Amino acid sequence: MNDDHDPKIQFLFSAAEQELPAEDFTGRIQMKINKQKRSHRMILICLGLILALCLWLLSPFLQNAANLLIQSLIPPVFEMDNASLTQILSPLNNRMAVLALSLIILQRFYRKIIS
Amino acid sequence: MSPNKTDLTMAAESLIVALARSGDRDAFAELVRRRQSWIRNLMRRLSGDPVLADDLAQQVFLQAWRSINHLRDLGNFGGWLKRLATNTWLQYVRKRDILNNAEDVENIAPAQNDTTSLSMDLDHALATLSAPVRLCIVLSYHEGMSHREISDVSKLPLGTIKSHIRRGTQHLQQVLSAYDTTPQPEKTA
């Protein structure tokens, strides 16, 4: 409360406060919320359909790109003579593993700097 | 399972806010039911027009529904809603550049002794004030906000707020002087 408040004006403000009926107003708000929810759902459905269509149209290119990516990441980093050792270490001895490991180290380093 | 409407009318507000945050539309409707009168009255005092006030109050509640997830303190729903309402009004007046018009609209509005028309008389009296003075007066008298709080929400300088309130109070005293001689008016229905 402020010091320069006039008690009479304050009283008039309190007395003028009306309890307004809630039903119509609340109903209108609910209606608008439901309408918003429906249009939001429609937008999501449309976006999903557009995305599915785009993926379907672009699937040959995407498949090619994925193949190229996999082929470029699979080759071993270190060549080994022993075939069984190559087999055992293959999940780690490839470009993909090196890339993933580098990313994890970078992420930890970044977190350390941030904290 | 969502609680039924009787449970909601009995429940504490913070609990209902939590339910509304999780997307429960009935819970939000209960919040609207509880707070609509306050927000509509605030908007009526600010705008002086019941139809516009209801439109703006609707905007406030729709905004509240959209952004209720941003409400951190579940126990402070009222304060958060008040801020939304004030911002909605400020957006409305800024669009029309009313806040820059510091001139009083009219000099005198007739005051009536009939206590049932007090609300209308008060709105008429407030309508004679310029938009920035009316904003400061309503936030101060209707919402009980301090000068600093009003300055924070309206972005007006503290000195300006003080002078607006002093000037507005003097003006209202003059316009509503007829209520000085009447017995204390009862709360209208």
Side-chain angles (χ1 to χ4, degrees):
Chain A
M1 189 69 68
N2 300 309
D3 294 339
D4 53 1
H5 260 201
D6 179 342
K8 281 179 197 159
I9 303 289
Q10 183 67 64
F11 176 76
L12 290 178
F13 265 90
S14 311
E17 190 81 358
Q18 292 171 298
E19 187 56 45
L20 298 166
E23 301 318 314
D24 277 359
F25 185 81
T26 311
R28 279 203 301 273
I29 301 273
Q30 276 181 301
M31 214 168 70
K32 288 205 169 175
I33 286 174
N34 290 341
K35 202 175 157 189
Q36 269 184 4
K37 198 102 186 170
R38 272 200 302 274
S39 32
H40 186 66
R41 204 173 294 159
M42 280 304 293
I43 289 169
L44 283 180
I45 289 171
C46 288
L47 283 177
L49 286 174
I50 290 168
L51 187 70
L53 187 70
C54 287
L55 285 175
W56 180 66
L57 288 172
L58 295 172
S59 58
F61 304 106
L62 290 173
Q63 206 168 4
N64 277 345
N67 282 340
L68 282 173
L69 190 71
I70 289 167
Q71 278 165 19
S72 66
L73 290 174
I74 279 178
V77 181
F78 305 107
E79 295 294 339
M80 289 178 216
D81 297 333
N82 191 329
S84 54
L85 196 64
T86 307
Q87 280 274 309
I88 292 166
L89 290 177
S90 64
L92 291 173
N93 186 22
N94 60 62
R95 289 180 194 167
M96 181 67 196
V98 172
L99 195 68
L101 203 67
S102 316
L103 282 176
I104 290 167
I105 291 167
L106 269 176
Q107 193 189 24
R108 294 228 169 138
F109 184 64
Y110 179 72
R111 276 190 192 159
K112 215 161 205 175
I113 291 170
I114 293 289
S115 62
Chain B
M1 200 174 84
S2 178
N4 64 37
K5 282 184 181 175
T6 322
D7 291 338
L8 285 173
T9 52
M10 310 284 282
E13 191 173 74
S14 51
L15 183 68
I16 304 174
V17 172
L19 285 168
R21 270 177 55 146
S22 67
D24 187 328
R25 278 179 262 178
D26 286 336
F28 188 74
E30 178 57 25
L31 289 175
V32 175
R33 218 167 276 127
R34 287 185 186 191
R35 296 290 189 166
Q36 56 88 26
S37 194
W38 168 50
I39 294 295
R40 287 164 78 193
N41 271 308
L42 170 62
M43 287 306 187
R44 279 177 189 210
R45 297 292 96 82
L46 286 169
S47 68
D49 175 355
V51 178
L52 172 64
D54 279 7
D55 277 353
L56 292 171
Q58 262 189 41
Q59 280 182 36
V60 172
F61 283 109
L62 290 174
Q63 176 68 34
W65 170 251
R66 280 194 293 268
S67 52
I68 198 161
N69 284 328
H70 300 159
L71 172 63
R72 298 251 170 104
D73 180 6
L74 298 186
N76 190 29
F77 179 71
W80 180 72
L81 200 61
K82 180 161 73 179
R83 193 165 272 271
L84 279 185
T86 314
N87 285 338
T88 302
W89 172 248
L90 285 170
Q91 271 173 18
Y92 174 80
V93 293
R94 277 178 190 141
K95 264 186 202 163
R96 282 150 191 82
D97 203 23
I98 304 171
L99 274 186
N100 290 331
N101 173 18
E103 295 298 313
D104 287 352
V105 179
E106 294 166 30
N107 283 330
I108 297 290
Q112 297 170 17
N113 288 345
D114 182 3
T115 52
T116 56
S117 64
L118 169 60
S119 179
M120 282 173 67
D121 281 347
L122 184 60
D123 286 342
H124 282 140
L126 288 168
T128 64
L129 301 171
S130 65
V133 176
R134 187 169 68 210
L135 175 73
C136 297
I137 285 284
V138 173
L139 293 183
S140 175
Y141 282 100
H142 191 273
E143 292 305 314
M145 287 166 78
S146 69
H147 292 157
R148 190 160 293 283
E149 286 171 324
I150 297 170
S151 175
D152 284 346
V153 292
S154 67
K155 309 281 183 263
L156 290 170
L158 201 58
T160 310
I161 303 283
K162 285 179 184 170
S163 98
H164 280 348
I165 291 175
R166 194 170 48 246
R167 210 172 122 214
T169 302
Q170 284 166 359
H171 189 79
L172 289 182
Q173 281 166 343
Q174 189 191 349
V175 174
L176 297 168
S177 58
Y179 281 102
D180 281 349
T181 53
T182 56
Q184 291 197 334
E186 287 170 16
K187 200 171 182 174
T188 51

